[in-house]
Amino acid sequence: MRRTPRKARKLTAQKTEGGLTRSCQERLDSLEDQARRLESRLLYVELNLGIPVVAEKDQKKPGPTPQISEEDLLDNRDRFVSWLEARWQDLRPRLLGAANTKQVSEALLSVAAPEESQDYYVKRTLDGAGALWEFLKSRRFHRKPSKRAVVDSLREEYEDPKRMKAVAHLPTRQIANAMAGVPQIGWRTSLDRCSKIPSRSVVGRKTEEYYRALYGIPIPKRVANRANPSGSVPELG
């Protein structure tokens, strides 16, 4: 009996479902098993011959080499955090109200002492005013953190995971993350890399005062007593 094209296709499909697909999977599993055994034997031989073995996770990943080391990137970031948070009350309205790169530079200079304009870390920020302006007008910058994020950021427990996560939402931390790698890398790459390892620094006093006043967050009594034993209410700077 002659097979019609339709019957031939049906028979081929049945064979594939009944045996060929399973056979291919079995052969693939067998090849993977052989590869694992060979890899294990090779590792054994290399170790016995004294050949240094590089762990897979430590091997060089494909793609361009980072133009700034992780250590330098995070060090830059934490220094930026300290500088920004010591000046945030005065810097905030000028910086967030800037309409162009020139006004960003002027805002930064307005809070920098004359001798600071040539400081390495401050100069990096000033030189990167264009990148900072791009970041400030991007959707990745969130200028006003929620009250919950601020409350969690001001927790006393230094190693509290909630504090570590919440503090990254502060504008000062976002800016520092974005600018830490500029100009060696773009602000987006800098932001992505720094965001994976949030800064452990406590919130700067001036920045803390600003957000406590903004959201009406009281200073914990035991902290206030330590800072102001006379009992008078400190004025916000």
Side-chain angles (χ1 to χ4, degrees):
M1 182 177 177
R2 186 176 179 183
R3 295 179 186 173
T4 65
R6 184 177 179 182
K7 286 184 178 180
R9 286 196 298 271
K10 185 176 180 181
L11 181 60
T12 300
Q14 289 175 345
K15 287 182 179 180
T16 300
E17 292 175 2
L20 293 180
T21 300
R22 183 165 56 250
S23 175
C24 289
Q25 184 61 49
E26 288 173 353
R27 281 183 286 178
L28 178 60
D29 292 341
S30 176
L31 287 171
E32 289 179 345
D33 185 54
Q34 291 179 46
R36 283 194 292 270
R37 289 201 300 270
L38 287 171
E39 184 179 359
S40 178
R41 291 177 182 177
L42 177 60
L43 178 61
Y44 177 81
V45 171
E46 288 179 337
L47 288 173
N48 280 276
L49 291 176
I51 300 174
V53 179
V54 180
E56 183 178 350
K57 64 179 182 180
D58 295 329
Q59 290 177 353
K60 180 178 173 59
K61 296 179 180 179
T65 303
Q67 293 175 292
I68 182 171
S69 70
E70 207 76 0
E71 182 180 1
D72 288 342
L73 182 70
L74 299 181
D75 182 58
N76 288 349
R77 188 269 308 278
D78 290 344
R79 289 176 183 266
F80 286 154
V81 166
S82 298
W83 190 82
L84 289 167
E85 293 187 353
R87 296 157 178 80
W88 190 239
Q89 287 190 33
D90 297 324
L91 176 61
R92 180 188 170 279
R94 295 184 177 97
L95 185 62
L96 300 190
N100 50 50
T101 298
K102 181 181 178 182
Q103 290 183 13
V104 167
S105 296
E106 291 171 349
L108 295 169
L109 283 170
S110 71
V111 297
E115 64 274 10
E116 284 184 325
S117 61
Q118 294 304 313
D119 177 84
Y120 174 72
Y121 294 97
V122 177
K123 193 172 185 303
R124 282 176 65 96
T125 308
L126 292 170
D127 291 345
L132 178 53
W133 165 236
E134 286 184 12
F135 172 60
L136 293 176
K137 66 179 182 178
S138 76
R139 292 184 177 181
R140 300 195 64 182
F141 176 62
H142 306 286
R143 61 177 57 204
K144 188 175 181 181
S146 67
K147 182 176 180 179
R148 171 51 54 194
V150 172
V151 170
D152 288 342
S153 296
L154 302 181
R155 287 172 176 264
E156 289 184 70
E157 296 81 1
Y158 179 73
E159 296 291 346
D160 190 327
K162 271 193 173 182
R163 187 195 78 84
M164 300 286 289
K165 182 177 180 180
V167 77
H169 293 282
L170 299 184
T172 48
R173 306 299 171 109
Q174 297 176 55
I175 292 171
N177 282 342
M179 296 302 296
V182 176
Q184 290 98 323
I185 55 178
W187 66 260
R188 292 177 181 80
T189 303
S190 178
L191 181 65
D192 290 339
R193 287 175 60 182
C194 288
S195 296
K196 294 176 182 178
I197 310 175
S199 175
R200 299 166 66 89
S201 304
V202 296
V203 178
R205 184 174 64 85
K206 289 288 186 181
T207 297
E208 177 179 349
E209 289 175 352
Y210 169 77
Y211 283 114
R212 285 193 184 278
L214 178 66
Y215 289 113
I217 304 170
I219 300 174
K221 187 175 180 179
R222 58 184 175 277
V223 176
N225 289 341
R226 286 200 303 268
N228 189 31
S230 65
S232 60
V233 179
E235 296 183 2
L236 294 181

